[in-house]
Amino acid sequence: MIRVEDLTVNYGAVKALRDVSFEASTGKITAVLGANGAGKTTLLRTISGLVAPQNGSIHFDNSDLVGMATENIARLGVGHVPEGRGVIEELTVEENLRLGALSSKVNFAECVEEQYTRFPILSERRKKYCATLSGGERQMLAMARALIAKPRVLLLDEPSLGLAPQITAQLMRSIRQLCETQNLTVILVEQNAKSALRIAHHAVVLHLGSVVANADAATVAEDEDLRRYYLGVVVP
């Protein structure tokens, strides 16, 4: 479980996050929704240690992640798939996966085959340079690179960005299956709110850095008053 309490992040005079609190349970998907600029990416970057908060705590097991180095957070079992996928185009698929295993003590030969079984297209492309991959293949690789270290928490930032609807649906099914079979704590940031709410168990809605909803995903999906925050719909 990840427990975020009173998290505040400032970029100069701008408050990116304002006293954000919520829990992400083990074996569950927590969707984080909101318009552009709501603070979603900042939240994930703060959990993984890339951004230092001005206030608050982030508890994972018995550890407070605030102030901990990013590499140590990763060693605790927190995997982060950033927005834009972030694969290294000049390297092959397998070389990218090898990078993902560097911070852990996993058996690379075993774990890479596990990822090839999970994402068969990557096995076919294992010797191909990432510059030749499609957007969907790059997203699968980014996820596989995070999963190869066997994390207990998976932070996903806009995994469907730029993908065709059919590929997005397939990706969302994979995320739900991963959560259920690996008992992962998943925090899913998504602009595609409808797709995220279909697979999520819980939802947190951010508006200008503040939590405006923290409830079951089904409850959030049915609340028309919240749509203006995560769908950009003006509610009369």
Side-chain angles (χ1 to χ4, degrees):
M1 174 191 289
I2 290 280
R3 188 172 74 254
V4 176
E5 295 182 336
D6 300 322
L7 198 65
T8 297
V9 175
N10 300 331
Y11 293 131
V14 177
K15 280 193 177 293
L17 295 175
R18 305 166 183 260
D19 300 320
V20 170
S21 298
F22 70 95
E23 291 184 357
S25 300
T26 303
K28 305 291 185 182
I29 298 170
T30 299
V32 179
L33 310 175
N36 287 334
K40 305 185 302 297
T41 292
T42 295
L43 174 62
L44 294 195
R45 287 173 59 83
T46 306
I47 293 172
S48 63
L50 295 170
V51 172
Q54 277 63 52
N55 188 50
S57 60
I58 305 166
H59 292 281
F60 175 43
D61 288 345
N62 296 319
S63 300
D64 186 351
L65 304 185
V66 172
M68 193 177 294
T70 301
E71 58 270 24
N72 292 334
I73 292 174
R75 290 190 185 102
L76 283 178
V78 179
H80 188 178
V81 180
E83 181 182 0
R85 301 182 255 287
V87 299
I88 301 176
E89 293 185 349
E90 295 80 9
L91 299 181
T92 66
V93 165
E94 193 147 304
E95 288 168 342
N96 268 271
L97 291 173
R98 192 172 292 277
L99 285 178
L102 287 179
S103 64
S104 66
K105 297 180 180 180
V106 298
N107 182 312
F108 178 74
E110 290 181 4
C111 290
V112 76
E113 290 304 322
E114 181 180 336
Q115 297 311 314
Y116 288 151
T117 299
R118 180 173 288 124
F119 303 107
I121 191 65
L122 297 183
S123 180
E124 298 174 20
R125 305 281 196 270
R126 65 175 69 191
K127 299 302 181 185
K128 298 290 185 181
Y129 288 102
C130 292
T132 68
L133 300 182
S134 69
E137 290 166 351
R138 292 186 190 202
Q139 187 59 64
M140 291 177 194
L141 175 57
M143 288 180 59
R145 189 175 60 185
L147 291 167
I148 201 166
K150 294 193 175 299
R152 292 182 291 152
V153 176
L154 188 61
L155 310 177
L156 296 172
D157 195 353
E158 303 283 7
S160 74
L161 185 67
L163 301 184
Q166 184 177 358
I167 301 299
T168 295
Q170 178 184 348
L171 182 67
M172 291 297 172
R173 287 193 297 269
S174 297
I175 293 169
R176 181 69 183 240
Q177 185 179 39
L178 272 170
C179 179
E180 293 172 348
T181 59
Q182 304 296 312
N183 202 33
L184 284 172
T185 300
V186 177
I187 302 179
L188 170 64
V189 161
E190 258 297 336
Q191 281 283 10
N192 191 334
K194 290 183 178 179
S195 292
L197 289 170
R198 285 192 190 104
I199 66 166
H201 302 87
H202 196 83
V204 175
V205 181
L206 296 179
H207 177 63
L208 299 178
S210 297
V211 174
V212 294
N214 183 4
D216 290 343
T219 300
V220 172
E222 293 169 0
D223 191 331
E224 293 186 2
D225 291 337
L226 289 173
R227 292 181 184 175
R228 60 193 171 114
Y229 295 118
Y230 65 83
L231 288 180
V233 176
V234 177
V235 178

